[in-house]
Amino acid sequence: CSAIDACETSNGGCSAKAECRRTTPGNRACICNAGYTGDGIVCIEINPCLENNGGCDRNAECTQTGPNQAACNCLKGYSGDGKRCTYISLCSQNNGGCSEFAICNDTELTGRTCTCKDNYIGDGFKCRGNIFQELLRDSNTSRFYFHLEALSIRDIAGPGPFTLFVPRTDILNDDPRVKDWIAKGVMAQVLRYHMVGCASLLYNDLTTITNITSLHGDPIHISYSQNLLVLNNKVEIILSDAVGTNGVIHVINQILVP
């Protein structure tokens, strides 16, 4: 007589993912292969991600790659090998895309927030100071700023509010009358005729009024028709509503003359 090998046929009835081991004649034991779990008759792949995130960092995604095998990949906004993931600070580079006049704060939910610094207003991505400062930052209005500085006119650096009508830089550069006004000592009067005190008048506000008084003392006539705002019947507002902390700037296409 010879002993019956219970594993000889059909892996002894064990799972294809199990090893059939002879025990006593005619008997066997079924042992699941590495990476599988079960009673040997039925063997199921072990998914390591189901327990303790597969050993991955809590800020990583665990992906099963095989029986009891997994890959760890850091989530968006984190860097590392997956076993250890470190938050990437968006604010550490280029101020997080915020304005240079804003404070960037890292947040795990939104990535970062941008908040304008004290004495600046805006959405954090674009922050403006007072209108005197803003004149210098815009090429359209910087020439007006230099004229104010040359004459030590700092009226609009105060608390305001002010409304400012600024001839575009190229117009101030090209108009031959400017040199004459400077030579005659009347340039300060011309500049102050472009300033209005005690009011921050946006474009829509200007469409509802007909006259305003400048810091020079003379009135500025305003007319509105066909979606066009005109000052003194000939000067057009071409860019509007650059709002600062103490007023608003409008760019015009000619010089206002008192």
Side-chain angles (χ1 to χ4, degrees), residues 59-76:
N59 293 306
E61 180 182 21
C62 179
T63 305
Q64 184 183 5
T65 57
N68 204 26
Q69 294 178 332
C72 301
N73 295 291
C74 293
L75 299 176
K76 184 179 179 180

Side-chain angles (χ1 to χ4, degrees), residues 168-197:
R168 203 174 55 211
T169 288
D170 61 314
I171 294 163
L172 282 172
N173 285 337
D174 297 340
D175 195 319
R177 296 175 298 174
V178 172
K179 289 184 179 179
D180 292 336
W181 291 330
I182 293 173
K184 293 176 181 178
V186 298
M187 190 62 184
Q189 298 172 41
V190 174
L191 295 174
R192 285 196 171 96
Y193 186 53
H194 293 77
M195 307 174 190
V196 176

Side-chain angles (χ1 to χ4, degrees), residues 98-111:
C98 303
S99 164
E100 62 179 306
F101 306 112
I103 297 171
C104 181
N105 287 309
D106 286 300
T107 61
E108 291 200 20
L109 292 178
T110 59

Side-chain angles (χ1 to χ4, degrees), residues 17 32-37 43-49 63-71:
K17 305 297 184 183
C32 290
N33 294 337
Y36 293 83
T37 184
C43 294
I44 302 172
E45 269 191 17
I46 297 172
N47 183 353
C49 296
T63 305
Q64 184 183 5
T65 57
N68 204 26
Q69 294 178 332

